[in-house]
Every structure is written in structure tokens, then in C-alpha cells.
Amino acid sequence: RGGTIRYVIKIDNRGDAPATNVVLRDSVPRGTTYVPGSSKLDNRAFADDNGGVCPLEAGLKLTDIGIIGDSIDVGESHIFEFSVTVNADAPNGFEISNIAYIQADLVDEIKTEPVLHPVVVMDGGMPEPTPMVDAGEMQPNGMDAGLGDVSALATVPEPLSGGVNGALGGSDGAGPLGT
């Protein structure tokens, strides 16, 4: 069994109108296995889909969840987290890549730049993910991308963690909603 990577996705509405029908999707990266029971929404345990599948795999409509409500108001933010383990057969030098997707009413789906973790096989033969930056640093792992007020940026905030940030227009298409 390999090392663990924790992904943290922050969703905040930086637009000028409430965001409705907000859907967050993030597939478990190739070369990893979802850790059942590891999902959290706003630091509260969040139930897995049937069979221990990550709730983001098929897309999670955030605005259908009781603690969020019908919309994400301007200035409101939420954090979704989940963990994966690196598969024991991941070859040395394999690069684990994770991308999150988000969409809302009147906004096309965007994707973040990938968060990357190269695999280094240690002396015992078990693969371990290696962060792209030194411990304690916060460096961009991608570049701004998109059109108009749509952008995406991925960062690796600490070893064995991945964070993703992006922006979407609010429910009226006028302002950004970040992930």
C-alpha cells in the first residue's frame, strides 16, 4: 500500500450574484485508489456514494446539500476534501495528475490546471507520491487559463496534498465563482 494524497478543493463565490446549480466533479486520479470515508465538506464527514466511491466521481450538486442550501451566496465559501492512496503497482516516475471541474447556471464547465505528484519508489519498493514543491512552500503548479472572468490555477500547498483553484462566472454569468 502506497502513500496518501489529500486533495482540498475550495469553492467560493467571488461574483456579484448567488451561484445556483453548482456542480463539482473530480475523478480519482489514475494510479490511485479512493480512501473510503475520507471525504469532508466544510470539515464535516461526507458520505461516500454506493460501494465506497468518491462522491465527486459522478459530479456532486453542491446546491442540493442541506448545509449549503439552494445557492452559494456572494462571498460564501466551502471546502471539499478527499484522500487517495497510491497504487502499489505505480511505476517509479509515474506522474499522478488530478483535475477538478466545476459548473453553475449560465456558466460553461471549466477545469483547473492539473495538480501533479510524481511517484518515487522508495527502498522498500512501495511507491510514494512526491510533492512538486519543498515542504512548507506554496508555489503555483499551473498558469491562469480561460476566457473572460473564467480562470484556473492549481497549487500544491504542502507535501502530499493538492489544492485546486479556479473561477467561474456567478449565476448571472457576471462574476467569478472559485474552486
Side-chain angles (χ1 to χ4, degrees):
R1 189 170 181 193
T4 301
I5 303 171
R6 183 108 184 125
Y7 291 105
V8 177
I9 305 166
K10 182 178 181 187
I11 303 98
D12 64 316
N13 186 345
R14 298 179 301 215
D16 58 7
T20 57
N21 293 314
V22 179
V23 177
L24 176 62
R25 184 171 51 88
D26 192 345
S27 295
V28 172
R30 191 170 61 97
T32 68
T33 301
Y34 174 69
V35 176
S38 67
S39 291
K40 291 182 179 182
L41 177 61
D42 293 338
N43 211 26
R44 297 178 185 130
F46 193 86
D48 294 335
D49 285 347
N50 291 335
V53 175
C54 180
L56 299 183
E57 196 73 37
L60 178 63
K61 188 172 177 186
L62 296 174
T63 46
D64 279 351
I65 299 170
I67 62 172
I68 292 181
D70 294 338
S71 65
I72 297 178
D73 291 329
V74 174
E76 183 179 350
S77 65
H78 299 280
I79 295 177
F80 195 94
E81 307 172 55
F82 69 96
S83 294
V84 297
T85 55
V86 179
N87 295 343
D89 61 354
N92 190 39
F94 177 74
E95 194 166 71
I96 297 167
S97 176
N98 189 45
I99 299 172
Y101 299 81
I102 190 167
Q103 66 185 45
D105 282 345
L106 304 176
V107 179
D108 293 332
E109 180 179 73
I110 65 161
K111 66 179 183 176
T112 62
E113 292 293 323
V115 173
L116 305 173
H117 292 280
V119 172
V120 177
V121 176
M122 306 306 280
D123 290 338
M126 296 305 297
E128 293 287 336
T130 303
M132 295 299 292
V133 296
D134 293 334
E137 288 185 22
M138 181 177 273
Q139 297 282 336
N141 194 27
M143 296 177 58
D144 288 330
L147 301 171
D149 62 357
V150 177
S151 65
L153 175 69
T155 60
V156 180
E158 59 186 73
L160 308 183
S161 290
V164 291
N165 297 297
L168 289 177
S171 62
D172 64 356
L177 170 76
T179 65

